[in-house]
Amino acid sequence: MTNTTDDNRIVTYQRSDDGTLSRVGSISTGGRGIGTDLDTQGPLRLSADHRFLYAFNAGSDNVSVFSVHGSTLTLVQKFPAGDEPNSLTIHDDLLYVLDGSVAGNGITGFRIAADGTLSPLSDSFRALSSPIAVPGDIEFSPDGHVLLVTEKTTNVVLSPPNAIDEFAVHADGRTSLTPMRDRSHGVRPFSVAFRNDGTVVVAESFNATPGKAAVSSYQLTADGRLRLETGSVPNHQTDSCWIVVTPDGRYVYTANFGSGTITSYRLTHEGHVHVLNPTAASLGTTSQPVDLALSADGHFLHLLLRGSGSVASFHITNDGILQPRGVVTGDLPVGDGASGLAAY
């Protein structure tokens, strides 16, 4: 997603059998971006069946819905989504939006119809536990019973100061009125990813302190709380922000904005994380790697490079090694703005 202010657009690509990408074209969302870094995970999401794509227009406070046919997108709806929407998550026929402005610091729910269009879930807005949270990501648990929201700002007035909000999701789709404020082991938890068994991995940027980035892992307990498994495993990179878990649950990858690298981790059956390669891929210190996206089969990893306005691709070997499959440029802004990546 270009995230440009005058005409936000989605750039589309086709992937070949070996993982290389070719640029197809672009289509307008009908809305406006904000032209600068959204600094969130999940502004662009595909439905589980890959039939629909949801994209935020943070500058015009709405979300665009596209039908998906291969690399062809058709705009089917544009719907109001609160004050500066910047991340979303989907489970079955529920879509939740994370609004990141100070005025609308919270989450709101929507129902997804069979044709992919959205309708508001009444009385579903919930404020985050901190008015200065500066949230980075919203994610459903695999069973849809819990919503997690990361808070990137340390709030010394509240306990714990570094937190992840947890909302219980009820049968009617609405959440608990207030979230449980759970402790983040590391500073500035940016984004989270779930394994299918409920294991949670969290990218911790440590306020972009050089060489201090890390990943922690947790388990969701029966009452929906986070129980620490592995605390802040360092990768000696700078500003780990975006994170994904492979479909087989064996590997974790983080995009390290400050270092221009990807770090690979191994995720054990018990939910512990161990560094495989701190620099599994190196794209250059000015590349500004941001959003990560995996192919549906887990064989390929794609990475948005904001610094060069391009997308890099990798083949993932059986032992988690990343094999480069080239970088494609064009249609994306260079240096700032581009945010959001989805693949299948």
Side-chain angles (χ1 to χ4, degrees):
M1 185 169 67
T2 65
N3 191 31
T4 46
T5 55
D6 56 341
D7 180 25
N8 191 17
R9 302 185 70 85
I10 307 300
V11 182
T12 56
Y13 305 83
Q14 186 71 39
R15 184 177 58 242
S16 65
D17 290 343
D18 68 355
T20 58
L21 295 182
S22 56
R23 184 162 45 89
V24 175
S26 68
I27 183 172
S28 175
T29 66
R32 300 188 305 275
I34 59 173
T36 59
D37 184 3
L38 280 177
D39 206 27
T40 57
Q41 179 163 287
L44 200 63
R45 298 279 193 178
L46 281 162
S47 59
D49 59 8
H50 313 138
R51 295 175 57 217
F52 304 104
L53 178 73
Y54 300 86
F56 278 138
N57 303 301
S60 50
D61 295 337
N62 47 38
V63 59
S64 296
V65 183
F66 295 88
S67 63
V68 179
H69 301 278
S71 57
T72 300
L73 303 179
T74 303
L75 181 64
V76 296
Q77 187 189 33
K78 190 173 63 175
F79 203 85
D83 196 2
E84 200 171 299
N86 57 25
S87 178
L88 64 82
T89 187
I90 299 169
H91 185 269
D92 292 340
D93 68 340
L94 273 178
L95 178 146
Y96 262 84
V97 168
L98 176 63
D99 292 321
S101 77
V102 174
N105 201 37
I107 66 172
T108 306
F110 297 83
R111 287 289 184 186
I112 304 174
D115 62 358
T117 56
L118 302 176
S119 58
L121 185 63
S122 62
D123 190 33
S124 62
F125 177 81
R126 303 288 187 262
L128 301 183
S129 66
S130 168
I132 59 167
V134 188
D137 188 18
I138 182 172
E139 298 286 346
F140 267 113
S141 62
D143 61 10
H145 294 166
V146 174
L147 276 171
L148 297 184
V149 177
T150 56
E151 298 193 359
K152 294 181 295 181
T153 298
T154 298
N155 191 331
V156 296
V157 177
L158 298 177
S159 180
N162 297 293
I164 299 170
D165 277 355
E166 303 167 28
F167 292 88
V169 182
H170 303 314
D172 64 359
R174 296 171 180 82
T175 71
S176 49
L177 292 176
T178 57
M180 295 183 289
R181 185 177 172 86
D182 226 337
R183 177 178 180 263
S184 167
H185 188 274
V187 176
R188 200 170 191 257
F190 186 100
S191 61
V192 307
F194 278 94
R195 189 164 66 178
N196 287 337
D197 64 356
T199 300
V200 184
V201 289
V202 180
E204 302 163 346
S205 77
F206 279 83
N207 292 328
T209 303
K212 295 297 185 181
V215 168
S216 289
S217 66
Y218 304 82
Q219 294 289 345
L220 272 180
T221 63
D223 61 352
R225 303 305 298 267
L226 290 177
R227 184 186 70 232
L228 183 68
E229 291 291 340
T230 317
S232 298
V233 179
N235 54 35
H236 308 294
Q237 304 299 296
T238 301
D239 210 11
S240 292
C241 295
W242 288 262
I243 191 167
V244 291
V245 178
T246 55
D248 63 10
R250 298 168 60 203
Y251 301 112
V252 175
Y253 299 94
T254 64
N256 310 312
F257 185 85
S259 301
T261 59
I262 297 175
T263 294
S264 59
Y265 286 84
R266 181 171 60 88
L267 185 58
T268 70
H269 177 74
E270 296 78 16
H272 301 148
V273 287
H274 303 275
V275 173
L276 277 179
N277 190 341
T279 55
S282 183
L283 292 309
T285 55
T286 62
S287 62
Q288 298 180 357
V290 286
D291 300 77
L292 293 162
L294 290 157
S295 60
D297 59 12
H299 293 166
F300 301 104
L301 177 68
H302 304 292
L303 172 65
L304 178 60
L305 300 173
R306 185 175 290 140
S308 58
S310 57
V311 178
S313 297
F314 304 88
H315 172 248
I316 302 174
T317 68
N318 188 55
D319 52 5
I321 294 173
L322 297 182
Q323 298 177 332
R325 289 294 185 264
V327 178
V328 180
T329 60
D331 284 350
L332 292 170
V334 176
D336 201 2
S339 297
L341 185 69
Y344 70 98

